Amino acid sequence: MGKQIVQSVSADHVPEGWHKITDLPSERGASRLIMEELLDHLGIHGWSPSDIFAIHLAAEEAIVNALVHGNKLDPSKKVHVDCFVSPDTVRIQVIDEGQGFNPATVPDCTLDERLEVPSGRGVMLMRTFMTRIEYSAAGNSVLLEKIRDQT
Amino acid sequence: MATHRRIDVAKIGEITVVKFLDKKILDEANIQELGTELFGLVEHDNRKSIVLNFTGVEFLSSAALGKLITLDRKVKAAKGRMKMSNIRPEIFEVFQITKLNKVFDIRTDESEAISAF
């Protein structure tokens, strides 16, 4: 499995937190290899149950998209996951080895004519539940970020 | 009657009440199996009045939403009716974000869902 890096508290520019980089095999259910640990660290860093639900859902959607749509479950390919959790920031980058896609071409699943289409909701849920999501130009990498609501 | 591994099925009069056995509906293989079991209620058992009781369900992914949408379509195509109940707030928010609360008939609890038929 991947390596774990505990960031130095003394580094001025790096916030204290949990950081893990791992490569997942392209097989169904592989997200569980990182998810339990991620959820544990969200709790340890004081994220609320509703935030943990939101981050869990967004991370799950991103990883499943990478495994299924990106790598097409090709066993020769990996999904690279880089997670950072601190008390006020969560950052998760998911990179696959597929062809990438243009997120602008994903149709709006909330249009009346698409409400009953069974697929295509993952990207919208990620956008809604996270503070920021950003795709690479190639479309095979997504960065999810959530900043804790201070209000 | 078919054997179910992902759902618990009970009959209350003419109404079929379905409960989910998984707290987290996200494993893709389980979601496939869940879909097969749910669709079988309509396609093989000819159930026309279905309540999906989400008691105990803490999490579901968009792939699970897809199965619920397909089930709803199958029920409607068979001239049946489906209602949902006992949905925790975080999951209800998912339905709101995706506007599926406009597609599904969502009730507070099982008795309200049953009396709405």
Side-chain angles (χ1 to χ4, degrees), chain A residues 79-93:
Chain A
V79 168
H80 180 82
V81 182
D82 185 333
C83 296
F84 172 74
V85 176
S86 77
D88 57 12
T89 304
V90 172
R91 205 171 293 121
I92 303 163
Q93 184 159 33

Side-chain angles (χ1 to χ4, degrees), chain A residues 28 32 53 61 116 118, chain B residues 27-28 58 62 66 69 73:
Chain A
R28 291 187 189 278
R32 73 165 74 95
F53 177 92
E61 299 292 341
E116 297 194 43
Chain B
D27 184 286
E28 279 191 273
E58 297 173 358
S62 69
I69 293 165
R73 288 166 60 173

Side-chain angles (χ1 to χ4, degrees), chain A residues 28-29 32 39 50 53 56-57 60-61 64 68 109-110 112 115-118 121-122 124-125 128-129, chain B residues 24 26-28 58-62 65-66 69-70 73 90-91 93-94 97-100 102-103:
Chain A
R28 291 187 189 278
R32 73 165 74 95
L39 298 179
S50 64
F53 177 92
H56 183 185
L57 187 62
E60 184 73 29
E61 299 292 341
V64 169
V68 176
C109 62
T110 64
D112 279 347
L115 274 183
E116 297 194 43
V117 176
R121 287 172 177 77
M124 168 173 232
L125 290 169
T128 308
F129 279 129
Chain B
K24 296 185 177 186
L26 56 85
D27 184 286
E28 279 191 273
E58 297 173 358
F59 187 93
L60 52 79
S61 68
S62 69
L65 290 180
I69 293 165
T70 303
R73 288 166 60 173
E90 291 92 344
I91 294 178
E93 191 184 354
V94 170
I97 291 166
T98 53
K99 297 195 178 171
L100 287 173
K102 287 167 53 176
V103 176

Side-chain angles (χ1 to χ4, degrees), chain B residues 60-115:
Chain B
L60 52 79
S61 68
S62 69
L65 290 180
K67 296 299 180 193
L68 298 178
I69 293 165
T70 303
L71 174 66
D72 188 63
R73 288 166 60 173
K74 287 180 187 293
V75 171
K76 285 172 179 164
K79 306 259 186 286
R81 288 189 294 166
M82 182 172 91
K83 300 178 192 304
M84 299 181 179
S85 73
N86 302 77
I87 296 173
R88 59 190 291 149
E90 291 92 344
I91 294 178
F92 186 71
E93 191 184 354
V94 170
F95 287 143
Q96 284 179 311
I97 291 166
T98 53
K99 297 195 178 171
L100 287 173
N101 57 326
K102 287 167 53 176
V103 176
F104 299 142
D105 186 350
I106 298 173
R107 306 290 173 145
T108 306
D109 56 30
E110 186 180 307
S111 60
E112 188 193 321
I114 288 172
S115 56

Side-chain angles (χ1 to χ4, degrees), chain B residues 29-81:
Chain B
N30 290 353
I31 290 172
Q32 281 301 115
E33 199 172 20
L34 173 66
T36 304
E37 292 180 8
L38 290 173
F39 304 159
L41 296 174
V42 183
E43 293 172 335
H44 302 302
D45 304 342
N46 297 314
R47 313 284 184 120
K48 296 215 184 281
S49 302
I50 298 174
V51 173
L52 299 183
N53 180 336
F54 283 81
T55 294
V57 176
E58 297 173 358
F59 187 93
L60 52 79
S61 68
S62 69
L65 290 180
K67 296 299 180 193
L68 298 178
I69 293 165
T70 303
L71 174 66
D72 188 63
R73 288 166 60 173
K74 287 180 187 293
V75 171
K76 285 172 179 164
K79 306 259 186 286
R81 288 189 294 166

Side-chain angles (χ1 to χ4, degrees), chain A:
Chain A
M1 278 300 295
K3 55 184 175 174
Q4 181 161 352
I5 303 164
V6 178
Q7 292 190 337
S8 166
V9 179
S10 62
D12 293 339
H13 61 289
V14 180
E16 186 182 358
W18 172 76
H19 186 196
K20 180 160 183 168
I21 300 171
T22 192
D23 285 329
L24 304 178
S26 293
E27 57 192 39
R28 291 187 189 278
S31 64
R32 73 165 74 95
L33 299 173
I34 180 82
M35 202 58 75
E36 286 304 317
E37 210 176 344
L38 171 62
L39 298 179
D40 284 348
H41 283 275
L42 290 169
I44 290 167
H45 286 88
W47 289 80
S48 71
S50 64
D51 280 338
I52 292 174
F53 177 92
I55 296 160
H56 183 185
L57 187 62
E60 184 73 29
E61 299 292 341
I63 294 171
V64 169
N65 280 350
L67 292 167
V68 176
H69 302 300
N71 287 355
K72 303 195 186 306
L73 297 173
D74 178 343
S76 71
K77 295 178 176 174
K78 302 281 187 201
V79 168
H80 180 82
V81 182
D82 185 333
C83 296
F84 172 74
V85 176
S86 77
D88 57 12
T89 304
V90 172
R91 205 171 293 121
I92 303 163
Q93 184 159 33
V94 179
I95 305 172
D96 63 57
E97 297 177 21
Q99 297 292 308
F101 80 114
N102 178 0
T105 62
V106 178
D108 181 351
C109 62
T110 64
L111 295 174
D112 279 347
E113 64 270 24
R114 295 200 64 85
L115 274 183
E116 297 194 43
V117 176
S119 59
R121 287 172 177 77
V123 174
M124 168 173 232
L125 290 169
M126 285 189 273
R127 283 195 196 290
T128 308
F129 279 129
M130 302 304 281
T131 309
R132 181 168 77 100
I133 90 164
E134 218 171 83
Y135 282 92
S136 64
N140 70 328
S141 166
V142 63
L143 177 71
L144 309 174
E145 188 177 75
K146 192 166 185 74
I147 308 294
R148 187 181 297 199
D149 188 358
Q150 300 296 332
T151 57

